[in-house]
Amino acid sequence: MTKLNSKYADSGYIQKLILRSLLFLLLGIFAVYYLMPLFIMVTTSLKSLEEIRTGSLIDLPREVTFTAWKTAWSGACTGIQCEGLRPFFWNSVLLAVPAVFISTLIGALNGYVIAQWRFKGANLIFSLMLFGCFIPFQVVLLPMARVLGIINLAGSISGLVFVHVIYGIGFTTLFFRNYYVSIPVELVKAAKIDGANFFRIFISIFLPLSLPIIVVTVIWQFTQIWNDFLFGVSFSEAGTQPVTVALNNIVNSTTGVKEYNVDMAAAIIAALPTLLVYVVAGKYFIRGLTAGSVKG
Amino acid sequence: MSTILEIKNLHKDFGSLNILNSINVTIEEGDFLVLVGPSGCGKSTLLNCIAGLEPITSGAITIDGRDMTTVSPKDRDIAMVFQSYALYPTMTVGQNITFGMKVRGIEKNEREEKLLKVAKQLQIESLLNRRPGQLSGGQRQRVAMGRALVRDPKLFLFDEPLSNLDAKLRVEMRTEIKKLHQNLNASMVYVTHDQIEAMTLATKIVVMKGGIVQQIGTPSEIYNRPSNLFVADFMGSPAMNLIPAKVANNGKGTKFTIARSRGEPLMLFDDNITKLPENVVLGLRPEDIGDAKLRKGDKLQISTCSVDVVEPAGADTYVLINLGGKEVTARLQAETAAQTGMEMAFTFNMDKVSYFDAQTGQRLN
């Protein structure tokens, strides 16, 4: 009897092992599939043009060189200007940081008001804001250009910040409202009796509770704004273009030999900040989810 | 003694829906007022109106002689304990208790001093650096009370503070709230749907239903002289027996005839009352129906009934008998000889009886 049992147990174990290996094999294939482009980008960016022309696409660089990165950062030509990505990278920083900050703050306030201070018509306003999330970028292009012209922000970074804040409020409000709606309304009542006013309650009680949702919102907004191309290309002029537009110009405006290594390096530089946000904030995101017990 | 809270003609509508109707309540200093009623009766809304968390449609609220009808909650000199405790999750226990003082700009030294005093009073000194998430239900309850106590307000408001606790802890905390009330001689308004809590804690009870006050009185008045059928049925456990009866005048008093499914109708007499309508409902508490062999007294009337169900409850044994088409509960001594199906003599204490109009449900005596 015991023998029989152990035999069954053995075959079960082997079966499990096989399934598990298959699973990891499959996951491994997917991982390679997804990492392949990145691998090629990185290796190509480290090769010299000579080596790219003569070697195969998937070879490792025989001689590692950072000249392409240097060119991409400070020497590549976007149209007639040859300063690389650097000025545009800073444009993007100047654009994304305030836009993310302002839209997150407004979203938090909106969510707080809609979820905790239910005034007449709060649901209607929330529905309209939700509706705003589903308006395609292309629809707002022309009206927005006109508005930016009227308020004298056309072609400026401030104008782009404005556009991204407006466009982001729908999402940020949605995030914060859904987070705050699960917090008991009695908290506000207790704070009111304690003598705190609208903003004091928000700052002392709701904001400290909000770390997880702030991280979610920041990741979302930063990725959206940093990666945006359409608004960037439509509402900027020569000196105010964000990095995505500059990257496009570098890749498209090369004359003569196509410098694949510079293109690849530039693409990686343009994508680095969003990667960084995921790596840094993603950790806090998970920590926030497990540590923040709202129910108390 | 001065009047602490006076509510005059309070109305509260929510849209076209009437939530509270003509509420008039007054409490004196040191009173423990309990608002009791089934869920949806408006008791919590009334408490929120007193706190200023809900605007009222018409009427007036006076706290300690000052008109508070339109004053904001923070200026009403009140403190409130909530059902969910409503502790600020990111603050420590100490910060929770002192938050109100901090907002009001009270000096740090004074805050610390008051915090320690309250913590000592509630025996939560060891918890001051913990967060609400690390506390048990009973400890959170204490912290919530601490937050109220530290305010030293004119009026304490409690919104079902014990209903999230388990049964044993609830009884303990009930006693503690009562002790607190006695020690502080504080004025309190307490909302509950639990009529036992209401009876044990209150010096004054307001029974509400459908936004209307049914009766205001001391626990003993509410228990012994309920003003209508709703109050009679709601207060007391097991509930008051409400037995339909036919009335006849027999010269010197009133004779009540109660139909029974088997055998002769039950006759009861009351010499002290006349002029009752033809159909009444007799209200008798279970303890006013007893075992004829064991109960002694002057005004007891004895009659034989058949026992339907016997329910021993430890200290007492409840016996169900069928009268007037209703199950009637009698509370007998634990060592009663009652057995299911047997015929047994019961005493009816007509001294304690309540009469209600069968149509309107209003008390008649």
Side-chain angles (χ1 to χ4, degrees), chain A:
Chain A
M1 196 66 185
T2 26
K3 256 187 187 169
L4 210 65
N5 268 345
S6 72
K7 200 176 162 191
Y8 274 120
D10 273 355
S11 73
Y13 176 73
I14 289 165
Q15 201 178 3
K16 213 169 143 188
L17 195 74
I18 291 170
L19 280 174
R20 197 140 268 248
S21 328
L22 274 174
L23 179 72
F24 278 108
L25 187 70
L26 201 64
L27 287 174
I29 290 171
F30 278 129
V32 168
Y33 182 75
Y34 273 102
L35 287 174
M36 208 56 193
L38 182 66
F39 170 77
I40 290 172
M41 279 173 79
V42 173
T43 51
T44 307
S45 74
L46 297 174
K47 294 175 184 172
S48 63
L49 259 183
E50 177 65 27
E51 196 183 331
I52 293 171
R53 229 175 299 125
T54 55
S56 146
L57 189 65
I58 54 170
D59 279 347
L60 285 169
R62 271 170 307 203
E63 199 181 332
V64 173
T65 162
F66 288 95
T67 34
W69 284 74
K70 212 175 156 191
T71 316
W73 179 242
S74 56
C77 294
T78 54
I80 48 164
Q81 196 186 2
C82 291
E83 291 174 26
L85 274 184
R86 190 172 53 191
F88 306 100
F89 188 92
W90 292 120
N91 280 351
S92 266
V93 172
L94 288 177
L95 157 70
V97 170
V100 169
F101 180 77
I102 296 171
S103 60
T104 304
L105 189 72
I106 294 179
L109 267 172
N110 281 348
Y112 167 62
V113 172
I114 289 171
Q116 293 283 331
W117 297 70
R118 291 182 196 142
F119 53 94
K120 248 189 192 158
N123 280 334
L124 180 72
I125 288 182
F126 180 57
S127 320
L128 290 175
M129 285 190 150
L130 266 190
F131 188 67
C133 298
F134 300 111
I135 297 176
F137 277 31
Q138 292 82 346
V139 174
V140 291
L141 280 183
L142 285 177
M144 189 55 87
R146 183 91 186 92
V147 170
L148 287 177
I150 291 170
I151 59 177
N152 227 353
L153 287 177
S156 68
I157 290 181
S158 315
L160 269 178
V161 170
F162 177 78
V163 173
H164 281 295
V165 167
I166 298 287
Y167 208 83
I169 283 176
F171 288 97
T172 55
T173 303
L174 170 72
F175 292 149
F176 279 97
R177 182 264 177 195
N178 285 355
Y179 186 74
Y180 288 150
V181 89
S182 65
I183 296 174
V185 285
E186 288 183 338
L187 229 50
V188 168
K189 289 185 179 179
K192 272 191 199 169
I193 288 175
D194 264 342
N197 60 20
F198 178 88
F199 284 105
R200 184 71 196 247
I201 297 174
F202 178 63
I203 291 163
S204 293
I205 294 164
F206 281 84
L207 270 190
L209 271 175
S210 312
L211 186 66
I213 199 66
I214 288 175
V215 172
V216 170
T217 312
V218 165
I219 290 182
W220 172 269
Q221 280 299 93
F222 188 82
T223 314
Q224 292 289 313
I225 295 171
W226 188 273
N227 288 343
D228 163 70
F229 179 75
L230 189 61
F231 284 159
V233 80
S234 312
F235 302 134
S236 63
E237 41 186 52
T240 60
Q241 285 155 337
V243 71
T244 44
V245 177
L247 174 65
N248 176 65
N249 293 348
I250 286 178
V251 174
N252 285 338
S253 69
T254 323
T255 50
V257 190
K258 198 138 186 65
E259 295 178 294
Y260 287 109
N261 49 357
V262 175
D263 293 353
M264 293 300 179
I268 295 172
I269 290 171
L272 266 182
T274 45
L275 272 176
L276 198 74
V277 165
Y278 271 104
V279 170
V280 172
K283 204 165 85 180
Y284 285 102
F285 176 51
I286 292 176
R287 202 181 290 169
L289 276 188
T290 48
S293 64
V294 180
K295 290 279 149 66

Side-chain angles (χ1 to χ4, degrees), chain A residues 184 186-197 200-201 204-205 208-209 293-296, chain B residues 48 53 73-74 78 80 82-84 86-91 99-100 103-104 133 140 147 151:
Chain A
E186 288 183 338
L187 229 50
V188 168
K189 289 185 179 179
K192 272 191 199 169
I193 288 175
D194 264 342
N197 60 20
R200 184 71 196 247
I201 297 174
S204 293
I205 294 164
L209 271 175
S293 64
V294 180
K295 290 279 149 66
Chain B
N48 280 331
L53 295 168
K74 66 184 163 70
I78 52 166
M80 191 158 171
F82 295 89
Q83 181 174 0
S84 68
L87 301 177
Y88 311 128
T90 54
M91 298 186 200
F99 180 68
V103 170
R104 278 156 214 272
R140 281 180 211 169
R147 198 168 59 181
R151 293 280 310 276

Side-chain angles (χ1 to χ4, degrees), chain B residues 229-281:
Chain B
L229 280 175
F230 171 77
V231 179
D233 191 44
F234 189 74
M235 300 298 287
S237 173
M240 185 182 245
N241 296 305
L242 300 168
I243 312 159
K246 289 244 181 282
V247 172
N249 282 320
N250 66 348
K252 55 175 187 165
T254 309
K255 181 177 90 174
F256 299 94
T257 312
I258 297 162
R260 282 199 275 200
S261 52
R262 295 188 296 273
E264 294 283 297
L266 173 72
M267 302 291 187
L268 292 171
F269 303 93
D270 190 341
D271 294 346
N272 301 325
I273 192 156
T274 49
K275 291 187 195 158
L276 287 176
E278 194 189 340
N279 288 305
V280 296
V281 173

Side-chain angles (χ1 to χ4, degrees), chain B residues 26 51 97 110 127 134 142 146 173 198 316 328:
Chain B
T26 308
I97 294 175
E110 193 183 340
L127 307 175
Q134 301 164 301
R142 276 168 200 278
M173 289 306 291
D316 305 293
V328 169

